[in-house]
Amino acid sequence: MSNNFLSTYTLPNGIELKNRLIMAPMTNFSSHQDGTVTEEEVNYYARRSKGVSMVITACAYITPNGKGFHGEFGADKDEMIPSLEKLATRIKEQGAKAVLQIFHGGRMCPPELVPNGEIVSASDIPAENSGVSTEEPDKKPRALTEAEVEDIIQAFGEATRRAIEAGFDGVEIHGANGYLIQQFFSPHSNRREDRFGGSLEKRMTFPLEVVDTVKKVVLEHAKEPFIVGYRFSPEEPETPGITMDETLALVDALSNKGLDYLHVSLFDFFSTPRRGVEDLTKTRISYLQETINDRVPLIGVGSIYSAEDARKAFETGVPLLALGRELIIDPDWVQKVSEGKEDEIVTEINKDKQEELVIPDPLWNAIINTPGWFPGV
């Protein structure tokens, strides 16, 4: 069986990856309350950084009002640089490229984690299934002013500068999973009438300006090639919501931005579109690959557990593949494949091996208490 996914891959900026397997960004809930990383969290990353070519961290918030999770680490001020440096150093020591995912949670932020409990978003529309009704004004997100939107765009740039100073090899702009960048792109959460909302093109303004700002900062501050990637979710279940054809329009625009990769967020690599395209039996990955047309590498992801799963995914022509939950279950996945021991790969979480797997308590508790999310739970 071919294992050509262990071959090297060169990103558009010239950085060579030692193989085509990447650790996907996953929230671990394990940072200190002040937004600095814990030793347990750093050890968790180090344990998973030996085999893969690149590690994309959990998201780091770029402003105090963008903190989306308990136990999330921050990139919102220069005082966070030593914390970020500790994480970047430990990942790189294991031989992987270290990429910091940067984000703002927008309307998904828990009120207790943001200043004055004030949630902000593109518009004052609560997330569906959030338990907040539009008749509860104190619990609804507040629409950001145009000046505040521009400040947040600059904050993405500042977080990128901190990533550079902390020694990261790159940043991933988190435009997926319903957070602020996606909220600006979505017709569900963006009902604005200024330059940041309205038509499909105007809803693209915020994401594309974040990309431009991040790239400008890299040009100004990075002394050597620095990776800039962008993650997106292809569709939303809400009506109105992002449809597959709208995402293809965004991906088309992003493909011309000189990014080093695009990263789709999928639960299942082989999933098919909900709506917005003619053939609903063709996979989202196929549509994305056709639209990108070799302009930028695409990272695929989603329920890849065995080496056979990975081979089937790579047969689609996707150049890079991210492993998420599987690297929590078996941190030695890549090494086992490279050593011809793929029959030893573990694909279900072993509830007796938290210590051996180097999983911090907050993440372990989340795994054990989420039936169905992890095989074996």
Side-chain angles (χ1 to χ4, degrees), residues 308-358:
E308 188 56 31
D309 292 340
R311 287 191 193 97
K312 284 178 183 165
F314 277 111
E315 280 169 10
T316 66
V318 72
L320 299 164
L321 191 64
L323 301 173
R325 289 161 291 164
E326 177 54 28
L327 283 181
I328 295 178
I329 294 166
D330 191 342
D332 301 313
W333 193 99
V334 182
Q335 295 93 308
K336 286 177 179 177
V337 173
S338 64
E339 293 166 9
K341 298 176 180 174
E342 61 184 62
D343 55 334
E344 295 177 22
I345 287 173
V346 182
T347 56
E348 291 195 355
I349 197 81
N350 188 323
K351 295 181 187 177
D352 299 320
K353 292 197 172 177
Q354 180 190 358
E355 200 171 316
E356 187 182 317
L357 294 172
V358 193

Short mmCIF file of all heavy atoms in Angstrom, two decimals, residues 308-358:
data_model
loop_
_atom_site.label_atom_id
_atom_site.label_comp_id
_atom_site.label_asym_id
_atom_site.label_seq_id
_atom_site.Cartn_x
_atom_site.Cartn_y
_atom_site.Cartn_z
N GLU A 308 -5.73 3.43 6.50
CA GLU A 308 -6.57 3.22 5.32
C GLU A 308 -7.49 4.43 5.10
O GLU A 308 -7.71 4.85 3.96
CB GLU A 308 -7.39 1.93 5.49
CG GLU A 308 -8.16 1.51 4.25
CD GLU A 308 -7.30 1.33 3.01
OE1 GLU A 308 -6.11 0.95 3.13
OE2 GLU A 308 -7.83 1.59 1.92
N ASP A 309 -8.02 4.98 6.19
CA ASP A 309 -8.83 6.20 6.09
C ASP A 309 -8.02 7.31 5.43
O ASP A 309 -8.51 8.04 4.56
CB ASP A 309 -9.27 6.69 7.48
CG ASP A 309 -10.26 5.79 8.17
OD1 ASP A 309 -10.92 4.98 7.49
OD2 ASP A 309 -10.38 5.90 9.41
N ALA A 310 -6.77 7.44 5.86
CA ALA A 310 -5.91 8.51 5.32
C ALA A 310 -5.64 8.27 3.84
O ALA A 310 -5.68 9.20 3.03
CB ALA A 310 -4.60 8.56 6.10
N ARG A 311 -5.37 7.02 3.46
CA ARG A 311 -5.12 6.73 2.04
C ARG A 311 -6.32 7.10 1.18
O ARG A 311 -6.18 7.69 0.11
CB ARG A 311 -4.79 5.24 1.86
CG ARG A 311 -3.42 4.88 2.38
CD ARG A 311 -3.01 3.48 1.96
NE ARG A 311 -1.85 3.10 2.75
CZ ARG A 311 -1.90 2.37 3.87
NH1 ARG A 311 -3.05 1.92 4.30
NH2 ARG A 311 -0.80 2.10 4.53
N LYS A 312 -7.51 6.74 1.64
CA LYS A 312 -8.73 7.06 0.87
C LYS A 312 -8.88 8.57 0.73
O LYS A 312 -9.29 9.06 -0.33
CB LYS A 312 -9.95 6.46 1.56
CG LYS A 312 -10.08 4.96 1.36
CD LYS A 312 -11.27 4.41 2.11
CE LYS A 312 -11.36 2.89 1.97
NZ LYS A 312 -12.29 2.31 2.95
N ALA A 313 -8.57 9.31 1.79
CA ALA A 313 -8.67 10.77 1.74
C ALA A 313 -7.67 11.33 0.73
O ALA A 313 -8.02 12.19 -0.10
CB ALA A 313 -8.42 11.36 3.12
N PHE A 314 -6.44 10.83 0.76
CA PHE A 314 -5.42 11.35 -0.17
C PHE A 314 -5.71 10.97 -1.62
O PHE A 314 -5.27 11.66 -2.54
CB PHE A 314 -4.02 10.87 0.25
CG PHE A 314 -3.40 11.72 1.33
CD1 PHE A 314 -3.23 11.22 2.61
CD2 PHE A 314 -3.02 13.04 1.07
CE1 PHE A 314 -2.66 12.01 3.62
CE2 PHE A 314 -2.46 13.83 2.06
CZ PHE A 314 -2.28 13.31 3.33
N GLU A 315 -6.48 9.91 -1.83
CA GLU A 315 -6.85 9.52 -3.20
C GLU A 315 -7.71 10.57 -3.88
O GLU A 315 -7.84 10.59 -5.11
CB GLU A 315 -7.57 8.16 -3.20
CG GLU A 315 -6.62 6.98 -3.09
CD GLU A 315 -7.35 5.66 -2.81
OE1 GLU A 315 -8.61 5.65 -2.90
OE2 GLU A 315 -6.66 4.67 -2.50
N THR A 316 -8.30 11.47 -3.11
CA THR A 316 -9.12 12.54 -3.69
C THR A 316 -8.25 13.64 -4.31
O THR A 316 -8.76 14.54 -4.97
CB THR A 316 -10.01 13.20 -2.62
OG1 THR A 316 -9.18 13.88 -1.66
CG2 THR A 316 -10.88 12.18 -1.91
N GLY A 317 -6.94 13.57 -4.06
CA GLY A 317 -6.04 14.59 -4.60
C GLY A 317 -5.74 15.72 -3.64
O GLY A 317 -4.98 16.63 -3.95
N VAL A 318 -6.31 15.67 -2.43
CA VAL A 318 -6.02 16.70 -1.44
C VAL A 318 -4.54 16.58 -1.04
O VAL A 318 -4.05 15.47 -0.81
CB VAL A 318 -6.98 16.58 -0.23
CG1 VAL A 318 -6.67 15.39 0.63
CG2 VAL A 318 -7.00 17.83 0.61
N PRO A 319 -3.78 17.69 -1.02
CA PRO A 319 -2.33 17.55 -0.78
C PRO A 319 -1.93 17.37 0.68
O PRO A 319 -0.87 16.83 0.97
CB PRO A 319 -1.77 18.87 -1.33
CG PRO A 319 -2.89 19.85 -1.23
CD PRO A 319 -4.16 19.07 -1.41
N LEU A 320 -2.78 17.84 1.60
CA LEU A 320 -2.45 17.81 3.03
C LEU A 320 -3.66 17.33 3.82
O LEU A 320 -4.81 17.58 3.44
CB LEU A 320 -2.03 19.21 3.52
CG LEU A 320 -0.79 19.82 2.85
CD1 LEU A 320 -0.70 21.31 3.12
CD2 LEU A 320 0.48 19.11 3.30
N LEU A 321 -3.39 16.66 4.94
CA LEU A 321 -4.47 16.10 5.75
C LEU A 321 -4.19 16.38 7.22
O LEU A 321 -3.08 16.15 7.70
CB LEU A 321 -4.55 14.59 5.51
CG LEU A 321 -5.78 13.85 6.05
CD1 LEU A 321 -7.06 14.33 5.36
CD2 LEU A 321 -5.61 12.34 5.84
N ALA A 322 -5.20 16.87 7.93
CA ALA A 322 -5.07 17.11 9.36
C ALA A 322 -5.74 15.99 10.15
O ALA A 322 -6.82 15.54 9.79
CB ALA A 322 -5.70 18.46 9.73
N LEU A 323 -5.06 15.55 11.18
CA LEU A 323 -5.61 14.56 12.12
C LEU A 323 -5.94 15.29 13.41
O LEU A 323 -5.11 16.00 13.96
CB LEU A 323 -4.59 13.46 12.40
CG LEU A 323 -4.08 12.66 11.20
CD1 LEU A 323 -2.96 11.72 11.63
CD2 LEU A 323 -5.21 11.88 10.56
N GLY A 324 -7.17 15.09 13.89
CA GLY A 324 -7.59 15.76 15.12
C GLY A 324 -7.72 14.78 16.25
O GLY A 324 -6.74 14.42 16.92
N ARG A 325 -8.93 14.31 16.46
CA ARG A 325 -9.20 13.40 17.59
C ARG A 325 -8.27 12.19 17.58
O ARG A 325 -7.87 11.70 18.63
CB ARG A 325 -10.67 12.96 17.56
CG ARG A 325 -11.65 14.07 17.92
CD ARG A 325 -13.07 13.77 17.46
NE ARG A 325 -13.17 13.81 16.01
CZ ARG A 325 -14.17 13.31 15.31
NH1 ARG A 325 -15.17 12.71 15.94
NH2 ARG A 325 -14.20 13.40 14.01
N GLU A 326 -7.92 11.70 16.39
CA GLU A 326 -7.07 10.50 16.32
C GLU A 326 -5.71 10.72 16.97
O GLU A 326 -5.13 9.80 17.55
CB GLU A 326 -6.91 10.06 14.86
CG GLU A 326 -6.00 8.86 14.66
CD GLU A 326 -6.35 7.63 15.51
OE1 GLU A 326 -7.55 7.44 15.85
OE2 GLU A 326 -5.42 6.87 15.83
N LEU A 327 -5.17 11.96 16.91
CA LEU A 327 -3.87 12.20 17.55
C LEU A 327 -4.00 12.33 19.07
O LEU A 327 -3.01 12.19 19.78
CB LEU A 327 -3.21 13.46 16.98
CG LEU A 327 -2.57 13.30 15.60
CD1 LEU A 327 -1.94 14.60 15.17
CD2 LEU A 327 -1.55 12.17 15.57
N ILE A 328 -5.20 12.59 19.55
CA ILE A 328 -5.44 12.53 20.99
C ILE A 328 -5.47 11.05 21.41
O ILE A 328 -4.86 10.66 22.40
CB ILE A 328 -6.75 13.25 21.38
CG1 ILE A 328 -6.62 14.76 21.08
CG2 ILE A 328 -7.08 13.02 22.85
CD1 ILE A 328 -7.87 15.56 21.38
N ILE A 329 -6.16 10.25 20.61
CA ILE A 329 -6.30 8.81 20.90
C ILE A 329 -4.96 8.09 20.80
O ILE A 329 -4.60 7.28 21.65
CB ILE A 329 -7.32 8.17 19.93
CG1 ILE A 329 -8.72 8.74 20.17
CG2 ILE A 329 -7.33 6.66 20.05
CD1 ILE A 329 -9.72 8.44 19.05
N ASP A 330 -4.19 8.39 19.73
CA ASP A 330 -2.90 7.74 19.50
C ASP A 330 -1.88 8.78 19.01
O ASP A 330 -1.77 9.05 17.81
CB ASP A 330 -3.04 6.61 18.48
CG ASP A 330 -1.78 5.73 18.41
OD1 ASP A 330 -0.72 6.19 18.87
OD2 ASP A 330 -1.88 4.60 17.92
N PRO A 331 -1.10 9.36 19.93
CA PRO A 331 -0.12 10.38 19.56
C PRO A 331 0.99 9.86 18.65
O PRO A 331 1.69 10.65 18.03
CB PRO A 331 0.47 10.81 20.91
CG PRO A 331 -0.49 10.35 21.95
CD PRO A 331 -1.14 9.13 21.39
N ASP A 332 1.14 8.53 18.57
CA ASP A 332 2.22 7.95 17.76
C ASP A 332 1.73 7.46 16.39
O ASP A 332 2.40 6.65 15.75
CB ASP A 332 2.86 6.78 18.53
CG ASP A 332 3.43 7.23 19.87
OD1 ASP A 332 4.13 8.26 19.90
OD2 ASP A 332 3.16 6.56 20.89
N TRP A 333 0.60 7.96 15.94
CA TRP A 333 -0.03 7.52 14.69
C TRP A 333 0.96 7.57 13.52
O TRP A 333 1.14 6.59 12.81
CB TRP A 333 -1.25 8.39 14.41
CG TRP A 333 -2.19 7.91 13.36
CD1 TRP A 333 -3.36 7.25 13.56
CD2 TRP A 333 -2.07 8.07 11.93
NE1 TRP A 333 -3.98 6.98 12.35
CE2 TRP A 333 -3.21 7.47 11.34
CE3 TRP A 333 -1.12 8.65 11.09
CZ2 TRP A 333 -3.42 7.44 9.96
CZ3 TRP A 333 -1.32 8.62 9.71
CH2 TRP A 333 -2.45 8.02 9.16
N VAL A 334 1.57 8.72 13.33
CA VAL A 334 2.45 8.90 12.16
C VAL A 334 3.66 7.97 12.24
O VAL A 334 4.03 7.33 11.26
CB VAL A 334 2.91 10.37 12.02
CG1 VAL A 334 3.77 10.54 10.77
CG2 VAL A 334 1.70 11.31 11.94
N GLN A 335 4.25 7.88 13.43
CA GLN A 335 5.42 7.02 13.60
C GLN A 335 5.07 5.56 13.31
O GLN A 335 5.84 4.83 12.68
CB GLN A 335 5.97 7.13 15.03
CG GLN A 335 6.52 8.51 15.38
CD GLN A 335 5.47 9.40 16.04
OE1 GLN A 335 4.36 9.56 15.52
NE2 GLN A 335 5.82 9.98 17.17
N LYS A 336 3.89 5.12 13.75
CA LYS A 336 3.48 3.73 13.50
C LYS A 336 3.33 3.45 12.01
O LYS A 336 3.73 2.38 11.52
CB LYS A 336 2.18 3.43 14.25
CG LYS A 336 2.38 3.28 15.76
CD LYS A 336 1.07 3.05 16.49
CE LYS A 336 1.30 2.89 17.99
NZ LYS A 336 0.03 2.74 18.74
N VAL A 337 2.78 4.41 11.27
CA VAL A 337 2.65 4.22 9.82
C VAL A 337 4.03 4.18 9.18
O VAL A 337 4.34 3.31 8.36
CB VAL A 337 1.79 5.34 9.19
CG1 VAL A 337 1.80 5.24 7.67
CG2 VAL A 337 0.35 5.26 9.70
N SER A 338 4.90 5.10 9.56
CA SER A 338 6.22 5.18 8.94
C SER A 338 7.08 3.95 9.26
O SER A 338 7.96 3.58 8.49
CB SER A 338 6.95 6.46 9.35
OG SER A 338 7.21 6.46 10.73
N GLU A 339 6.81 3.30 10.39
CA GLU A 339 7.58 2.12 10.79
C GLU A 339 6.91 0.81 10.35
O GLU A 339 7.34 -0.28 10.75
CB GLU A 339 7.77 2.11 12.31
CG GLU A 339 8.66 3.25 12.81
CD GLU A 339 8.56 3.45 14.33
OE1 GLU A 339 7.94 2.60 15.00
OE2 GLU A 339 9.08 4.47 14.82
N GLY A 340 5.83 0.92 9.56
CA GLY A 340 5.14 -0.28 9.10
C GLY A 340 4.37 -0.99 10.19
O GLY A 340 4.12 -2.20 10.11
N LYS A 341 3.97 -0.26 11.22
CA LYS A 341 3.24 -0.86 12.35
C LYS A 341 1.81 -0.35 12.42
O LYS A 341 1.26 -0.16 13.49
CB LYS A 341 3.96 -0.53 13.67
CG LYS A 341 5.37 -1.08 13.77
CD LYS A 341 6.02 -0.63 15.08
CE LYS A 341 7.44 -1.17 15.21
NZ LYS A 341 8.12 -0.60 16.41
N GLU A 342 1.21 -0.11 11.26
CA GLU A 342 -0.11 0.51 11.27
C GLU A 342 -1.18 -0.39 11.89
O GLU A 342 -2.22 0.10 12.32
CB GLU A 342 -0.52 0.96 9.88
CG GLU A 342 -0.63 -0.14 8.85
CD GLU A 342 -0.95 0.43 7.48
OE1 GLU A 342 -0.14 1.21 6.95
OE2 GLU A 342 -2.02 0.09 6.96
N ASP A 343 -0.90 -1.70 11.98
CA ASP A 343 -1.86 -2.58 12.65
C ASP A 343 -1.87 -2.34 14.16
O ASP A 343 -2.76 -2.82 14.87
CB ASP A 343 -1.56 -4.05 12.35
CG ASP A 343 -0.13 -4.45 12.71
OD1 ASP A 343 0.75 -3.57 12.72
OD2 ASP A 343 0.10 -5.65 12.99
N GLU A 344 -0.89 -1.57 14.66
CA GLU A 344 -0.83 -1.24 16.09
C GLU A 344 -1.52 0.10 16.42
O GLU A 344 -1.57 0.52 17.56
CB GLU A 344 0.63 -1.18 16.56
CG GLU A 344 1.33 -2.53 16.50
CD GLU A 344 2.80 -2.44 16.92
OE1 GLU A 344 3.16 -1.48 17.63
OE2 GLU A 344 3.58 -3.34 16.50
N ILE A 345 -2.02 0.77 15.38
CA ILE A 345 -2.69 2.07 15.60
C ILE A 345 -3.94 1.86 16.45
O ILE A 345 -4.73 0.95 16.21
CB ILE A 345 -3.05 2.74 14.25
CG1 ILE A 345 -1.78 3.27 13.58
CG2 ILE A 345 -4.06 3.86 14.44
CD1 ILE A 345 -2.00 3.79 12.17
N VAL A 346 -4.10 2.71 17.45
CA VAL A 346 -5.27 2.65 18.34
C VAL A 346 -6.30 3.65 17.81
O VAL A 346 -5.97 4.81 17.54
CB VAL A 346 -4.88 3.03 19.79
CG1 VAL A 346 -6.08 2.93 20.72
CG2 VAL A 346 -3.73 2.15 20.28
N THR A 347 -7.54 3.22 17.64
CA THR A 347 -8.57 4.11 17.07
C THR A 347 -9.73 4.39 18.03
O THR A 347 -10.70 5.03 17.65
CB THR A 347 -9.11 3.53 15.75
OG1 THR A 347 -9.62 2.22 16.00
CG2 THR A 347 -8.03 3.48 14.69
N GLU A 348 -9.63 3.88 19.25
CA GLU A 348 -10.63 4.20 20.27
C GLU A 348 -9.91 4.66 21.52
O GLU A 348 -8.87 4.11 21.89
CB GLU A 348 -11.50 2.98 20.59
CG GLU A 348 -12.41 2.58 19.45
CD GLU A 348 -13.51 1.61 19.89
OE1 GLU A 348 -13.50 1.19 21.06
OE2 GLU A 348 -14.38 1.31 19.07
N ILE A 349 -10.45 5.66 22.18
CA ILE A 349 -9.80 6.21 23.37
C ILE A 349 -9.73 5.13 24.46
O ILE A 349 -10.70 4.42 24.70
CB ILE A 349 -10.54 7.47 23.87
CG1 ILE A 349 -9.66 8.28 24.84
CG2 ILE A 349 -11.88 7.16 24.51
CD1 ILE A 349 -8.67 9.15 24.18
N ASN A 350 -8.56 5.00 25.06
CA ASN A 350 -8.38 4.07 26.18
C ASN A 350 -8.56 4.84 27.48
O ASN A 350 -7.74 5.68 27.83
CB ASN A 350 -6.99 3.42 26.12
CG ASN A 350 -6.84 2.30 27.14
OD1 ASN A 350 -7.34 2.39 28.26
ND2 ASN A 350 -6.12 1.25 26.76
N LYS A 351 -9.65 4.56 28.18
CA LYS A 351 -10.00 5.35 29.37
C LYS A 351 -9.07 5.12 30.55
O LYS A 351 -9.17 5.81 31.56
CB LYS A 351 -11.45 5.03 29.79
CG LYS A 351 -12.47 5.46 28.76
CD LYS A 351 -13.87 5.14 29.23
CE LYS A 351 -14.90 5.42 28.14
NZ LYS A 351 -16.25 5.04 28.55
N ASP A 352 -8.15 4.17 30.42
CA ASP A 352 -7.21 3.90 31.51
C ASP A 352 -5.83 4.53 31.27
O ASP A 352 -4.91 4.31 32.05
CB ASP A 352 -7.02 2.38 31.68
CG ASP A 352 -8.32 1.69 32.03
OD1 ASP A 352 -9.10 2.25 32.83
OD2 ASP A 352 -8.59 0.60 31.46
N LYS A 353 -5.70 5.29 30.18
CA LYS A 353 -4.36 5.73 29.81
C LYS A 353 -4.20 7.25 29.72
O LYS A 353 -3.41 7.75 28.91
CB LYS A 353 -3.95 5.09 28.48
CG LYS A 353 -3.77 3.57 28.61
CD LYS A 353 -3.00 3.01 27.44
CE LYS A 353 -2.66 1.54 27.70
NZ LYS A 353 -1.96 0.92 26.56
N GLN A 354 -4.92 7.99 30.53
CA GLN A 354 -4.80 9.45 30.50
C GLN A 354 -3.36 9.90 30.68
O GLN A 354 -2.86 10.76 29.94
CB GLN A 354 -5.69 10.10 31.57
CG GLN A 354 -5.59 11.62 31.56
CD GLN A 354 -6.26 12.29 32.76
OE1 GLN A 354 -6.84 11.61 33.61
NE2 GLN A 354 -6.16 13.59 32.85
N GLU A 355 -2.69 9.33 31.68
CA GLU A 355 -1.31 9.76 31.99
C GLU A 355 -0.37 9.42 30.83
O GLU A 355 0.42 10.27 30.41
CB GLU A 355 -0.85 9.05 33.27
CG GLU A 355 0.32 9.75 33.93
CD GLU A 355 0.63 9.15 35.30
OE1 GLU A 355 -0.32 8.90 36.07
OE2 GLU A 355 1.82 8.93 35.56
N GLU A 356 -0.48 8.22 30.32
CA GLU A 356 0.39 7.80 29.21
C GLU A 356 0.14 8.64 27.96
O GLU A 356 1.06 8.94 27.19
CB GLU A 356 0.11 6.32 28.91
CG GLU A 356 1.03 5.70 27.89
CD GLU A 356 0.66 4.25 27.61
OE1 GLU A 356 0.37 3.50 28.57
OE2 GLU A 356 0.63 3.88 26.43
N LEU A 357 -1.12 9.03 27.75
CA LEU A 357 -1.47 9.85 26.58
C LEU A 357 -1.17 11.34 26.78
O LEU A 357 -1.30 12.13 25.85
CB LEU A 357 -2.96 9.66 26.24
CG LEU A 357 -3.35 8.26 25.75
CD1 LEU A 357 -4.87 8.13 25.64
CD2 LEU A 357 -2.69 7.95 24.42
N VAL A 358 -0.79 11.71 27.97
CA VAL A 358 -0.46 13.11 28.32
C VAL A 358 -1.61 14.04 27.93
O VAL A 358 -1.46 14.93 27.10
CB VAL A 358 0.88 13.56 27.66
CG1 VAL A 358 1.36 14.87 28.29
CG2 VAL A 358 1.95 12.49 27.80
#
